[in-house]
Amino acid sequence: MDKLGPLWCFLVFVFIYTQTATINGSTNTKGNESVMGVIGAIVDNSSRIGKEERLAMKMALEDFYYKFNQNLVLEVRNSQGQPIQAALEAMGLITQQVQAILGPQTWEETSLVAEVGSKSDIPIFSFANTTPKWAAERWPFLLQASTNMFNQMKAVAAIVESWEWQRVTVIYEDRDSSATSVLPHLSNALREVGAEISQLVALAPFASSSLSKELARLKKGQCRVFVVHLSLSLAEKLFEMAKRMKMMERDYVWITTDPVTSLVHAMNATTISNMQGILGVKSYLPETGGHFKEFHRRFRKRFRSEHPEENNHEPDIFAAQAYDAAWTVAIAMRESNKVPRLLLEKVFHSDFHGLSGKVEFIDNKLVSLNIFQIVNVMGKSYRELGFWSYGHGFSENINENAAYNSSMKVLGQVFWPGGPWYTPRGWTLPTSTNPLKIGVPAAANFKEYVTVEYDQSENNISYTGFAIDVFKATLEELPFYLPYNFLPFNGTYNALVEQIQLKIFDAVVGDVTIVAGRYQYAEFTHPYTESGIVMVVPVISKTSNRAWLFMKPFTMAMWILTGVINFYNGFVIWLLERNNCPELKGSVLNQMGMLIWLAFNTLLSTNGARLHSNLSRMTMVVWLFVALVIMQTYTANLTSMLTVQHLGPTVTDIETLKSSNAIIGHCSGSFLSRYLVEVLHFNPNNIKTFSSTEAYAHALKNGEIAAAFLDVPLANLFLAKYCTGFTKAGPTYKAFPRGAPLLSSITEALLKVSESGQLRELENNMITSAKCEDVEPDKETPSLSPNSFLVLFILSGGTSTIALLVYILRVDKSILRHKIMWRVMRTIMGHWGSQKRRYSRRVSDVAENASNSRNTFELRSQV
C-alpha cells in the first residue's frame, strides 16, 4: 500500500476522461423533498451479492424515512468487480459530496477506495469479510461493516476434528488478498484440533488451464479433504472442472465457506449438480421476529421484480448486513449534523440488534458472529444439518434447550460425494504406478540399524537392518497393500527429514531420532525404541582407597544388631554363672568388664566345660551356632570384595566434562552437534564426530575423547559389543514425537508388531548379533543386612530370653522357701524359751499357758 501515491495520480487522470461514462445510480427516497444528506455505495451489479446489497440499502433508507420522516439520497455506483473502477467511482461520489460510502465487497477494492476517501476524511463502510489490523491505523475512517470470518474458521476446524481428518488442502483465490488474513486463523484452528494444512493452492480467477492443472496435481496427491475459500464465480468453475475430472466421487471431501455457502440457495441446477455432497459453513441469519419477516416478504417481492433473471429471490446474510450498515449510517447522520468525525463517533456507539444479528463495532470492525449453519448439498438443493456455536459446539437447533456436542456426528447422516454411507477417511493410498518414496540414510553410523549396500555387478541396492525389518513387519500388519520404493540418501539426518517437506520423499525409514528441530518438517510414528540421549564413558577400578572395606560385608544395621545380641547373650551368661564363678564377682567396675568380656568371648571361645548351669550351656550352644554362621558369611563376603574387581565411570555428569574442558564425541551427521552446543552448552571446539562403533571405542580407550553422546538404542548396541571398559553415565535427555494421516494406520500396525512380541524379537536378534569382544564383569557384591540372618537372631535371642526367665523363676522360689523356714525356726526357738521361764507355776496355769502357746504356734505356722 506504500505505492498508492503514484496510483492516486493515475486515478485522477483516468477519472477526468471516464467521469462522463459513470453510471448514475442516484436514489432519492422522496423525489425533490428536503434532503438530509447523501450516502454513497459501491457494489458489483453483475454479482448476486451486489444485487442483494443494492436493494437492501435502498430498503433501509426507505424504512428510515417512514420512521423519522427524513430524506436521504443513496448514490449507488457499479465497480464491475474491478478495484480500479471502484476507486474511480469513489472519486465520483466524493465530488457529489457524499457523507459516507458503503462497500465495496472485496478487500482489493476496499483498499483503493479507502485511500481515495482518506483524502477527504469520508467514512468508508467496507463489506469485505476481512480487514488487516494495520488498516485502522492507516485509514482511521475505514470500518468493516461485515462480520469477519475468523470464528468461521474454527467451525471448519471443528468439522475436520469430528471426522478425525488430519490434513486438509486449502484452495483460495489468488487475487483475494483477504485470504492471506483468513488462512493463518484457519491454520491455527486446525492445529488446535490436531490437524494441519498439507498444502495451499492459489487459483487465478480467469485461467481455466491452470485450474485443470492444479486439480490434476491434487488428484495425484494423497490428501482428499479440500477447504474451498473462493468467490462464487470461481467456485462454480472449480466444481465443474472437479466433476469432469471425477473428483466429486467417493473418498473426496469438499468444505466451502462464505460467500459460496451463503449463496447455495441462489445457484442454478447445473451448479448444484456439480456440488453434490459438499459440506458448507455459512453465517447464521436469524429469521425470527416480525421485523425480519416483513423485510423478507418485501425483499422477495421487489427482488423478483428488479431481477427477473434470478431463479431464487431469498435474501441472505449479505443483504441483511447491507441493510444494517445503511441503517447504522442513517441513524448516525441524523445525530451528527454531517460532521465526519462525529459521524464515526456515533457509529462506534451503535449497539442494537439488526437483521444480521448484533450491531456493535469494536476496533473499527463489526463484532464477529458466534453461530454458523452447517449445510449439505444434495439433490436439487441443500439440507440444513444443524448449527455450530462458538464455545459450545454442534447442535441440531439453537433454542434454549439445545443439546451441544463437540462432534458433528450428532447432526446425523451426511451425504458425501459419490453417495457412500461410510465416512471418507480423508486420504488415499498410493498406487503401484505411484508408490511411496521411502528415504533411507546411506551412511548410517550403526550398520545393525540400517545398511545400504551397492552391488555394482548386478546394478542393485540392498537395504537391511533392524529399522528395515521393523518397517516391513509393520506393513504386514496393515489392512491394505502399500507399495513403496527405498531410495538411498547421502547427507545429514536433518537434511534427510527435510526432504519430506520438500516432497522429495514421502517417508523416511532409519535410525532417525525424533527431536523438536525436525518436528516442523515431518510427521513421526510412535517410537519403536527407547528415546533419549545418554553419555558413554570409560570405566576405572574402584578398589583403591578402601580403608573401611572390612566394614563393607555387613550393613550398619547388621553391625549394630550383632553387637546388641552379643552384649545381651553375655549379660545372660554372666547372670547365670555369677554365683558359681568367683571371677564374676567383685566391684561394679570389675563386673562390668567381665560382662563385656563374656559378650565377645562367646564368639571365640568354646569352653563349655567351665559353665556350671545347664541354662548357660543352652544359651552358649545356640549363640555359638549363630556366631559360626555369621563369621563364615562375613569371611566369604569380604573375600569376594577383595578378589573381584569393581569398576565405575570415569565421569559421572556433564558438568565435570565442561569444567575440565574435556573433548567429547558424537555421530557424524547427527542432530547432536547442535544439541550439545545449544542445549547442553558444550564448547563447539571440544566436539568431535565419529562414523563407526570401532572409532568410538578406539577414541575412548586412548583418551582422545572423555565421553561419547549417543541415542539410547545406539548406546545399547555399542555396550552390547563392548561389554567391558565402558558404561552409561548421567541422566537420559529426552526428545518429543508427533503424528499424521497415513501415520495413524502405520502407528496402529507398529503397535500390533510391538504387542505381538515381534518387535522385541527383532531387537534381541540385533543385540545378540553384536558379539561381546570382552568378558562381562561381575556385579558388585552387596552388603548383607539383618534380613539375611533374621531367623538366627530370633533363635539366639529367644533362647537367651527363655534361659533368663527360667533363672528368674528359680531364684524367686528359693528366696520364698528360705523366708518361710526362717520364720518357722524363729517361732520354735521363741516357744522353747518361754517354757524354761515358767516351770514353777501351778499345774492349771501351765496347762493354760501351754494351750495358748500351741494356739500361738499354730497361728504363726499358718502365717
Side-chain angles (χ1 to χ4, degrees):
M1 300 306 299
D2 294 333
K3 299 180 179 180
L4 287 177
L7 180 60
W8 167 254
C9 298
F10 171 74
L11 292 177
V12 173
F13 176 77
V14 174
F15 175 71
I16 296 175
Y17 292 97
T18 59
Q19 182 61 27
T20 56
T22 301
I23 300 176
N24 192 329
S26 175
T27 301
N28 190 334
T29 54
K30 284 297 175 181
N32 295 323
E33 295 182 8
S34 176
V35 176
M36 186 184 71
V38 180
I39 300 176
I42 300 175
V43 298
D44 181 6
N45 285 338
S46 62
S47 68
R48 169 71 186 226
I49 295 177
K51 296 174 183 178
E52 290 191 14
E53 289 174 343
R54 178 180 182 132
L55 176 57
M57 289 185 288
K58 289 168 58 178
M59 293 176 62
L61 297 187
E62 291 172 1
D63 291 345
F64 177 80
Y65 175 80
Y66 290 131
K67 183 172 183 179
F68 298 104
N69 197 28
Q70 291 181 325
N71 190 16
L72 287 171
V73 174
L74 179 65
E75 291 285 347
V76 183
R77 296 290 184 266
N78 181 14
S79 69
Q80 303 175 22
Q82 300 298 323
I84 297 295
Q85 186 64 35
L88 293 174
E89 299 298 347
M91 295 171 61
L93 291 173
I94 292 174
T95 60
Q96 295 186 11
Q97 298 182 347
V98 296
Q99 278 74 53
I101 296 178
L102 302 178
Q105 182 65 34
T106 67
W107 173 245
E108 284 71 18
E109 297 174 82
T110 299
S111 59
L112 293 181
V113 171
E115 186 68 20
V116 172
S118 64
K119 307 299 181 180
S120 304
D121 292 342
I122 301 296
I124 309 297
F125 294 83
S126 169
F127 292 147
N129 51 32
T130 56
T131 301
K133 293 182 179 180
W134 52 264
E137 298 180 0
R138 185 180 182 93
W139 303 301
F141 286 83
L142 175 64
L143 289 85
Q144 181 178 323
S146 62
T147 57
N148 62 53
M149 302 187 67
F150 298 159
N151 285 346
Q152 188 172 147
M153 297 302 104
K154 292 184 177 293
V156 173
I159 294 176
V160 173
E161 180 187 23
S162 298
W163 304 108
E164 300 178 1
W165 299 318
Q166 295 177 328
R167 280 187 174 181
V168 301
T169 297
V170 179
I171 304 175
Y172 66 99
E173 194 161 351
D174 191 18
R175 74 169 187 174
D176 185 7
S177 60
S178 64
T180 58
S181 299
V182 173
L183 294 181
H185 290 272
L186 176 59
S187 178
N188 293 336
L190 289 172
R191 191 177 296 111
E192 291 175 0
V193 300
E196 66 175 6
I197 298 176
S198 62
Q199 58 181 315
L200 296 171
V201 180
L203 297 181
F206 304 109
S208 300
S209 59
S210 63
L211 177 60
S212 60
K213 290 180 181 179
E214 288 292 346
L215 288 178
R217 184 175 62 85
L218 293 177
K219 188 176 182 179
K220 292 181 180 179
Q222 294 183 349
C223 183
R224 289 293 182 263
V225 180
F226 304 101
V227 176
V228 179
H229 184 66
L230 300 172
S231 63
L232 177 60
S233 58
L234 187 54
E236 290 177 343
K237 297 177 182 178
L238 171 71
F239 289 117
E240 180 183 1
M241 185 68 69
K243 184 178 181 181
R244 189 183 308 166
M245 298 178 64
K246 297 183 179 181
M247 296 179 66
M248 297 300 298
E249 299 180 355
R250 59 193 307 162
D251 292 333
Y252 284 89
V253 178
W254 297 87
I255 303 174
T256 60
T257 63
D258 282 333
V260 176
T261 312
S262 291
L263 295 176
V264 171
H265 66 283
M267 295 178 181
N268 55 44
T270 302
T271 303
I272 290 293
S273 66
N274 293 333
M275 297 175 59
Q276 291 295 299
I278 72 163
L279 281 176
V281 181
K282 71 173 186 175
S283 302
Y284 169 64
L285 179 61
E287 297 181 358
T288 58
H291 186 200
F292 180 84
K293 292 180 179 179
E294 177 61 21
F295 168 79
H296 181 269
R297 182 188 62 81
R298 293 165 48 211
F299 183 91
R300 292 181 73 253
K301 181 178 180 181
R302 294 184 57 173
F303 196 82
R304 183 185 299 110
S305 175
E306 296 182 13
H307 303 284
E309 72 280 1
E310 296 289 341
N311 297 324
N312 188 286
H313 312 107
E314 300 290 330
D316 54 39
I317 188 66
F318 305 108
Q321 289 178 348
Y323 182 98
D324 290 340
W327 181 268
T328 301
V329 173
I331 294 297
M333 289 179 62
R334 180 173 180 267
E335 300 174 354
S336 64
N337 296 323
K338 302 181 182 181
V339 179
R341 293 193 177 274
L342 185 58
L343 172 63
L344 276 182
E345 183 178 347
K346 296 297 182 181
V347 170
F348 288 150
H349 287 86
S350 300
D351 188 3
F352 65 93
H353 284 276
L355 296 179
S356 61
K358 186 176 180 60
V359 177
E360 181 182 4
F361 289 87
I362 299 178
D363 296 332
N364 288 27
K365 298 178 182 179
L366 191 65
V367 294
S368 301
L369 291 176
N370 292 326
I371 302 176
F372 300 90
Q373 199 166 16
I374 312 299
V375 301
N376 185 201
V377 178
M378 59 180 298
K380 297 181 179 181
S381 185
Y382 65 93
R383 181 166 62 101
E384 297 177 351
L385 297 178
F387 302 88
W388 181 86
S389 302
Y390 180 76
H392 297 286
F394 295 95
S395 61
E396 295 182 356
N397 53 67
I398 54 172
N399 55 37
E400 296 179 356
N401 300 322
Y404 294 96
N405 195 293
S406 60
S407 175
M408 180 187 163
K409 296 178 182 178
V410 298
L411 303 184
Q413 180 64 42
V414 177
F415 179 80
W416 303 103
W421 290 103
Y422 65 88
T423 303
R425 58 189 174 189
W427 54 274
T428 186
L429 294 171
T431 62
S432 57
T433 58
N434 186 29
L436 283 179
K437 293 174 290 185
I438 308 296
V440 179
N445 294 313
F446 287 78
K447 302 303 180 182
E448 292 83 357
Y449 267 86
V450 178
T451 301
V452 179
E453 295 180 343
Y454 298 87
D455 190 345
Q456 300 293 344
S457 60
E458 298 183 5
N459 193 22
N460 184 34
I461 304 176
S462 63
Y463 303 86
T464 57
F466 175 65
I468 302 299
D469 293 339
V470 171
F471 176 73
K472 292 180 178 179
T474 301
L475 294 188
E476 292 177 358
E477 296 292 338
L478 291 176
F480 48 82
Y481 171 68
L482 187 64
Y484 66 91
N485 285 330
F486 285 133
L487 299 173
F489 179 80
N490 290 285
T492 65
Y493 284 87
N494 286 338
L496 174 60
V497 176
E498 290 177 9
Q499 303 306 303
I500 298 178
Q501 186 187 45
L502 298 175
K503 308 301 181 182
I504 305 299
F505 296 141
D506 297 311
V508 166
V509 173
D511 53 338
V512 180
T513 304
I514 306 171
V515 293
R518 298 168 181 170
Y519 183 73
Q520 58 183 321
Y521 301 116
E523 308 289 346
F524 290 90
T525 65
H526 181 79
Y528 54 86
T529 59
E530 182 183 358
S531 62
I533 305 161
V534 295
M535 179 173 64
V536 176
V537 298
V539 294
I540 57 173
S541 175
K542 299 191 294 183
T543 57
S544 59
N545 192 23
R546 298 175 65 85
W548 292 93
L549 183 63
F550 72 92
M551 296 288 291
K552 189 68 174 176
F554 289 158
T555 63
M556 184 56 64
M558 179 66 184
W559 283 114
I560 293 174
L561 185 57
T562 301
V564 170
I565 289 295
N566 272 325
F567 187 83
Y568 179 65
N569 287 336
F571 167 75
V572 172
I573 293 175
W574 170 80
L575 187 62
L576 294 176
E577 297 294 327
R578 63 188 299 269
N579 292 328
N580 299 319
C581 298
E583 298 88 350
L584 301 181
K585 297 181 179 180
S587 64
V588 175
L589 183 62
N590 180 65
Q591 294 188 51
M592 290 296 295
M594 292 301 297
L595 176 61
I596 297 174
W597 178 82
L598 282 173
F600 292 95
N601 184 54
T602 53
L603 290 172
L604 306 172
S605 175
T606 57
N607 297 327
R610 299 180 58 184
L611 300 177
H612 299 81
S613 171
N614 288 332
L615 295 176
S616 299
R617 295 187 183 99
M618 179 181 68
T619 302
M620 177 65 76
V621 168
V622 175
W623 175 232
L624 284 177
F625 171 72
V626 174
L628 180 63
V629 174
I630 292 177
M631 286 190 295
Q632 294 296 328
T633 305
Y634 173 84
T635 302
N637 211 23
L638 181 60
T639 302
S640 174
M641 292 181 177
L642 290 173
T643 56
V644 175
Q645 183 183 16
H646 298 288
L647 303 175
T650 55
V651 181
T652 57
D653 56 71
I654 64 172
E655 296 302 327
T656 304
L657 292 173
K658 291 189 289 187
S659 61
S660 62
N661 206 30
I663 306 297
I664 60 175
H666 69 85
C667 295
S668 59
S670 170
F671 75 99
L672 283 174
S673 178
R674 181 177 179 183
Y675 183 85
L676 292 173
V677 174
E678 297 183 359
V679 179
L680 300 184
H681 307 295
F682 279 99
N683 186 342
N685 297 325
N686 294 339
I687 300 176
K688 290 187 175 182
T689 60
F690 298 90
S691 58
S692 66
T693 56
E694 293 78 10
Y696 276 120
H698 180 73
L700 288 170
K701 286 180 179 179
N702 62 20
E704 182 181 352
I705 58 175
F709 286 85
L710 300 172
D711 293 329
V712 170
L714 301 183
N716 294 335
L717 189 60
F718 176 82
L719 295 176
K721 186 174 183 179
Y722 299 95
C723 47
T724 62
F726 307 102
T727 186
K728 296 179 185 178
T732 300
Y733 304 94
K734 293 291 185 180
F736 306 93
R738 183 187 178 186
L742 183 57
L743 178 73
S744 59
S745 298
I746 295 293
T747 299
E748 182 181 357
L750 181 58
L751 291 176
K752 291 180 180 179
V753 173
S754 177
E755 293 171 358
S756 66
Q758 188 177 359
L759 181 61
R760 173 59 61 185
E761 182 180 350
L762 292 173
E763 188 173 5
N764 290 338
N765 293 337
M766 176 189 65
I767 296 296
T768 54
S769 64
K771 296 182 179 179
C772 181
E773 297 182 356
D774 300 302
V775 180
E776 180 71 18
D778 295 333
K779 295 183 179 179
E780 183 177 357
T781 305
S783 300
L784 298 176
S785 67
N787 292 333
S788 304
F789 306 94
L790 186 60
V791 175
L792 294 177
F793 283 134
I794 293 174
L795 178 61
S796 177
T799 303
S800 300
T801 302
I802 292 173
L804 181 61
L805 292 177
V806 171
Y807 171 76
I808 292 173
L809 290 175
R810 285 181 178 179
V811 170
D812 287 346
K813 289 181 179 180
S814 177
I815 292 174
L816 180 60
R817 186 167 56 252
H818 281 82
K819 285 183 179 180
I820 293 174
M821 291 298 295
W822 177 251
R823 288 178 181 177
V824 171
M825 291 177 64
R826 288 181 60 184
T827 301
I828 294 174
M829 292 177 63
H831 176 68
W832 181 71
S834 298
Q835 285 183 338
K836 291 179 67 176
R837 285 193 299 269
R838 294 182 181 182
Y839 71 91
S840 61
R841 292 185 181 182
R842 295 189 305 271
V843 176
S844 59
D845 293 337
V846 172
E848 182 178 358
N849 289 335
S851 175
N852 292 336
S853 297
R854 282 195 303 272
N855 292 338
T856 304
F857 175 76
E858 292 177 359
L859 178 61
R860 289 178 177 177
S861 299
Q862 292 176 0
V863 174

